[in-house]
Amino acid sequence: MTATSSTPVSLRGVTKRYRSLAALDDVDLDLGPGITGLLGPNGAGKTTMLRVMATVLRPDAGEVRLLGRDPSQPDGRTEVRRRLGYQPQELGFPRGFSAFAFVNYMAVLKEWADRGTRTTEVRRVLDLVGLGDVATKRISRLSGGQRRRVALAQALLGTPELLVLDEPTTGLDPEQRASLRGVLADIAATSTMVISTHQTEDVAALCRRVVVLDAGRVHFDGTVPELVSLAAGRVWMAAAPDAAAQASWRTASGRYRNVGESVPSGAELVEPSLEDAYLLLRGATSPASADATTSAEVA
């Protein structure tokens, strides 16, 4: 993709090192409107990439342009942050704050000066994430999933043009995740959203585009159907785990789902999923004895 001044996110040769480890290694990437899902194993560099996009980290090398501005310059960084929403992987909450008090505090930091307007907006985003009925409850008394939604609520203040979300659905039950998908899909109609997640089903349901990151490099960048197509004819069911498979796990039916390049002759092929394609792309190997009553979750 060719970068233009209107590309919301543009990374050119971006490198970030922690001592001898390259968390990001000469990354070129352009992201446009809609939702992009970021997949990769632990330690792949996903959180580092999101922190660069959120102006929290400066790369050691390369060029970053966000919403047409250069975040390495103070004026550009300030302008980007006014138009940015960021949910980090871990967010510390001040002691004794309620959900409302915390999101209100974040709104003040984001320069929502008028108290009435600010209060209306804080209530709006708490309602969006399903926390309106616990807005006055102390965060220390909320469940892990509720705290995650408080963190998301502050990122949604003002309906940002660029949303950077690190594991937004972690700790949510299926109903909450389904509801949140609807919220994010609506917001993405008018914004650019980047979501890092271990939940391949969230990417399949939400994202028009998926980027697979591993060892600090982009290994795939395309649409979800394009990634899934890589596994066509390479997923099969069998009564036992297949030694030729790169990944194999026991399903709820008691049979084994196998993913690999070397498909046995006469194998019972099945329709691939996004998770199958991701495992195939990474060349992952799961223990043959592993049981899974649902599809395996990629770490």
Side-chain angles (χ1 to χ4, degrees), residues 11-33:
L11 308 182
R12 285 290 174 272
V14 170
T15 298
K16 181 64 182 179
R17 290 185 174 274
Y18 298 101
R19 296 183 180 178
S20 61
L21 174 67
L24 295 177
D25 189 6
D26 195 28
V27 171
D28 290 335
L29 192 64
D30 295 306
L31 303 180

Side-chain angles (χ1 to χ4, degrees), residues 2-13:
T2 301
T4 69
S5 59
S6 61
T7 303
V9 176
S10 178
L11 308 182
R12 285 290 174 272

Side-chain angles (χ1 to χ4, degrees), residues 26 46 58 92 114 136 230 251 268 285:
D26 195 28
K46 302 188 302 298
R58 290 189 183 186
D114 182 80
T136 59
L230 298 180
T251 67
E268 180 189 338
T285 302

Side-chain angles (χ1 to χ4, degrees), residues 6-254:
S6 61
T7 303
V9 176
S10 178
L11 308 182
R12 285 290 174 272
V14 170
T15 298
K16 181 64 182 179
R17 290 185 174 274
Y18 298 101
R19 296 183 180 178
S20 61
L21 174 67
L24 295 177
D25 189 6
D26 195 28
V27 171
D28 290 335
L29 192 64
D30 295 306
L31 303 180
I35 306 177
T36 297
L38 186 59
L39 292 174
N42 292 331
K46 302 188 302 298
T47 291
T48 297
M49 180 179 284
L50 293 191
R51 295 183 74 194
V52 168
M53 292 180 184
T55 74
V56 176
L57 279 181
R58 290 189 183 186
D60 297 323
E63 179 183 353
V64 179
R65 300 285 293 186
L66 302 171
L67 302 173
R69 305 300 296 268
D70 180 357
S72 68
Q73 302 300 315
D75 288 348
R77 186 162 58 251
T78 297
E79 178 62 24
V80 169
R81 288 177 177 176
R82 286 174 176 153
R83 301 157 62 191
L84 167 77
Y86 174 45
Q87 179 190 11
Q89 193 173 51
E90 299 290 341
L91 182 62
F93 298 105
R95 186 182 180 92
F97 270 44
S98 67
F100 180 91
F102 176 74
V103 179
N104 184 66
Y105 170 69
M106 296 301 292
V108 171
L109 295 180
K110 291 186 176 184
E111 303 177 340
W112 287 73
D114 182 80
R115 183 174 181 177
T117 303
R118 186 174 69 244
T119 297
T120 298
E121 177 64 7
V122 171
R123 287 174 175 162
R124 182 187 74 84
V125 295
L126 285 171
D127 285 340
L128 264 182
V129 299
L131 294 177
D133 58 342
V134 295
T136 59
K137 194 171 182 178
R138 287 190 179 185
I139 294 175
S140 60
R141 296 180 179 176
L142 297 178
S143 69
Q146 288 173 324
R147 293 184 192 185
R148 202 79 193 122
R149 283 183 282 158
V150 172
L152 177 59
Q154 63 79 30
L156 300 181
L157 286 164
T159 314
E161 295 173 56
L162 173 60
L163 264 168
V164 179
L165 308 178
D166 202 344
E167 301 287 350
T169 62
T170 296
L172 305 187
D173 64 34
E175 184 178 356
Q176 292 165 347
R177 285 172 59 200
S179 176
L180 185 59
R181 286 174 187 168
V183 170
L184 296 180
D186 288 344
I187 293 171
T190 57
S191 70
T192 297
M193 188 181 302
V194 186
I195 298 177
S196 173
T197 181
H198 289 293
Q199 306 288 346
T200 54
E201 59 266 41
D202 285 345
V203 174
L206 276 173
C207 302
R208 62 164 46 170
R209 183 174 173 190
V210 58
V211 172
V212 178
L213 195 68
D214 200 353
R217 287 182 172 271
V218 174
H219 286 255
F220 177 86
D221 179 7
T223 67
V224 170
E226 285 170 347
L227 179 52
V228 173
S229 71
L230 298 180
R234 295 178 172 87
V235 185
W236 67 99
M237 298 297 293
D242 197 314
Q246 291 173 234
S248 181
W249 62 92
R250 188 176 185 270
T251 67
S253 69

